[in-house]
Amino acid sequence: MEDLFAARLQMAISLGFHIIFSCIGMTMPFLMAFAEWQWLKSKQEVYLDLAKSWSKGVAIFFAVGAVSGTVLSFELGLLWPGFMEYAGEIIGMPFSWEGTAFFLEAIALGFFLYGWNKVNRWVHWASGIVVGISGVISGIFVVAANAWMNSPAGFDWVDGQAVNIDPYAAMFNDAWFSQALHMTIAAFVSTSFAVAGLHALLLLKNPGHVLHQKAYKIALTFGAVSAILQPLSGDISAKDIAERQPEKLAAMEALFETEKGADLLIGGIPDVERATVDYAIRLPKMLSFLAHGDFDATVTGLKEFPRELWPPVQITHIAFQVMVLSGMLMATVGLVFLLFYWKKKEILYKNWWLWVVGICTPLGFIAVEAGWVVTEVGRQPWIVYRMFKTADSVSPMPGLQYTCYILSTLYLLLGFVLVFLMKRQIRVVNKKNMQIMVEIIIVVLGIAFVFYTLLGGADFGAGIIEVFTGKKGEKAISKATSMGG
């Protein structure tokens, strides 16, 4: 395995694993806080049980996400020193703030888990809201840094050096809003549909179970509203990409020739050698309208760019189609759910409808993964758009495939731990076991914090260099820690 491919594969596996926990961390706290709010209003014990049950799930995913996030910070320093050398001073600020939001989220979550019956009920509820807000802000900071890679700003490039650095202009680059909006809503769609689907499947096994009924309705309401809103944020993103990254849009739609009144493709398999797309359904002029708000607008095709600067067309196009299809399916299910909830409540617990919702369980995360592929693969061959190529940023250290193997094994183990903890959580019925669950989570959290601190956290893992190089690593550490502001 070539080192560049190994590095890219390792980052793909890491991000693909971590992004699921990021989505859950941004959404689940709001679901648990909503359940507690319902309990505070209605005094129905089922909502209290639901809030406590969901809070354990939040803690499990937070712990595993903290571990995978720490590994990611280490990987950035290990695999991409060429990127780190220049980007750290420019885009480090959102990462340092992300670290602050992460610790605030952890503190608030600990308060929520151990604060039952120890503080005022509304203060306790507010701590759950803080967990959710911190998670969303944390996610937005990370997305802002990624948006800078798609729309670099906040510096001048003079004689191979970044000068006149403005970290605020870098963080609030032209792409940050559209990406942050799309990602935040995607987090709510994916997590809410997953939770609703899981409880729908549990209702099929235990019809009439009140806790699952409440959970299913709350989660699907969140998911339905988010899924209906998501196409609007997708439209904002598409117009932004058409303006800033026309070759990415061309790859998403497999548009080889520049066209006036370009068709929108549904499905299809691109043939790059023949510059055609087979088996696609074409919607006349819709791509021009969606990209530029004009049915007769000109959309730039791939042939306007040097062939060596094309993104991988087949991967980008197929991933985009998967994302859109998954999103539209969930929006449809969400709209139908709201109609049933309004006019035909008796259908909500019919087996056939519960199966529909249950089948949707993984759809949101499939859409998130596909969307992330579009974002990252669609930017290739650049790691920072039109400035630094990915191939020029990879570490010169040989044997990167071995770290890929090790990290893949770690994620596999984390996956097993997660499945074990979640299955246990679902089976837990008495308070004694619930307390054991909390203790396990706290231990995992403690381990995650130790690694986060050792690896330098917001400095992208540069701190680990000191362990191996001592004073020789000071220069590298200095560059990388500048990313922490």
Side-chain angles (χ1 to χ4, degrees), residues 10-20 72 369 372 376:
Q10 184 174 328
M11 287 303 298
I13 293 172
S14 300
L15 285 167
F17 188 85
H18 183 69
I19 198 170
I20 295 173
L72 262 176
E369 298 285 1
W372 199 249
E376 295 303 298

Side-chain angles (χ1 to χ4, degrees), residues 36 40 111-112 119-130:
E36 185 179 10
L40 291 170
F111 191 89
F112 191 91
V119 297
N120 177 277
R121 290 176 174 180
W122 285 103
V123 172
H124 183 269
W125 170 79
S127 69
I129 297 295
V130 172

Side-chain angles (χ1 to χ4, degrees), residues 140-170:
I140 289 175
F141 283 141
V142 173
V143 172
N146 177 264
W148 178 83
M149 297 164 70
N150 291 316
S151 180
F155 65 100
D156 294 321
W157 192 250
V158 179
D159 298 329
Q161 296 292 325
V163 298
N164 301 323
I165 294 171
D166 182 346
Y168 289 96

Side-chain angles (χ1 to χ4, degrees), residues 9 31 36 59 65 106 156 167 172 215 281 307 328 393 396 401 420 422 458-459:
L9 179 61
L31 296 182
E36 185 179 10
D156 294 321
F172 297 110
I281 300 172
R307 178 65 183 85
M328 295 309 295
S393 303
Q401 69 269 28
F420 166 76
M422 289 306 298
D459 67 4

Side-chain angles (χ1 to χ4, degrees), residues 131-430:
V131 177
I133 293 174
S134 303
V136 169
I137 292 175
S138 179
I140 289 175
F141 283 141
V142 173
V143 172
N146 177 264
W148 178 83
M149 297 164 70
N150 291 316
S151 180
F155 65 100
D156 294 321
W157 192 250
V158 179
D159 298 329
Q161 296 292 325
V163 298
N164 301 323
I165 294 171
D166 182 346
Y168 289 96
M171 187 170 76
F172 297 110
N173 56 76
D174 290 341
W176 86 271
F177 175 75
S178 61
Q179 279 196 223
L181 178 66
H182 200 54
M183 186 67 231
T184 301
I185 297 178
F188 276 82
V189 176
S190 57
T191 305
S192 300
F193 264 87
V195 174
L198 178 62
H199 285 285
L201 294 174
L202 291 171
L203 275 174
L204 287 168
K205 289 185 176 180
N206 301 283
H209 195 291
V210 178
L211 186 143
H212 292 318
Q213 288 180 344
K214 301 293 185 185
Y216 149 78
K217 284 201 295 187
I218 290 173
L220 197 49
T221 301
F222 272 74
V225 174
S226 304
I228 293 169
L229 291 176
Q230 185 65 320
L232 300 178
S233 76
D235 182 63
I236 294 173
S237 292
K239 287 181 168 59
D240 183 59
I241 292 171
E243 184 72 22
R244 290 183 303 93
Q245 294 179 288
E247 60 269 54
K248 177 185 283 187
L249 179 71
M252 289 160 60
E253 278 296 317
L255 182 69
F256 294 96
E257 303 284 350
T258 297
E259 294 182 18
K260 183 178 181 181
D263 298 344
L264 180 73
L265 301 188
I266 298 178
I269 301 175
D271 186 328
V272 178
E273 296 302 321
R274 293 190 295 121
T276 58
V277 183
D278 300 321
Y279 315 115
I281 300 172
R282 294 179 177 273
L283 301 181
K285 298 189 175 185
M286 285 303 296
L287 178 58
S288 289
F289 177 73
L290 292 175
H292 298 291
D294 181 352
F295 287 105
D296 294 317
T298 298
V299 181
T300 306
L302 285 164
K303 289 187 177 180
E304 299 295 329
F305 306 94
R307 178 65 183 85
E308 65 273 17
L309 298 183
W310 290 13
V313 179
Q314 290 181 327
I315 296 175
T316 307
H317 175 73
I318 292 172
F320 179 66
Q321 297 295 318
V322 170
M323 178 189 71
V324 172
L325 176 61
S326 301
M328 295 309 295
L329 285 173
M330 289 184 290
T332 303
V333 171
L335 183 60
V336 173
F337 164 74
L338 292 178
L339 290 174
F340 286 163
Y341 196 85
W342 180 36
K343 289 290 186 181
K344 296 284 184 180
K345 284 186 173 63
E346 66 275 11
I347 296 179
L348 295 179
Y349 301 109
K350 298 287 187 184
N351 281 359
W352 67 268
W353 174 250
L354 292 175
W355 271 114
V356 170
V357 178
I359 291 171
C360 289
T361 301
L363 270 188
F365 291 119
I366 291 173
V368 167
E369 298 285 1
W372 199 249
V373 169
V374 172
T375 300
E376 295 303 298
V377 177
R379 193 185 57 244
Q380 300 305 315
W382 307 101
I383 191 169
V384 179
Y385 183 57
R386 291 186 179 176
M387 291 208 64
F388 309 117
K389 288 187 175 180
T390 306
D392 297 331
S393 303
V394 71
S395 171
M397 183 177 70
L400 294 182
Q401 69 269 28
Y402 299 113
T403 62
C404 182
Y405 299 148
I406 293 170
L407 267 297
S408 299
T409 304
L410 171 64
Y411 289 128
L412 193 62
L413 291 175
L414 279 175
F416 282 125
V417 170
L418 177 67
V419 171
F420 166 76
L421 291 176
M422 289 306 298
K423 288 182 69 174
R424 184 185 178 94
Q425 168 63 13
I426 291 173
R427 289 198 304 265
V428 163
V429 292
N430 61 65

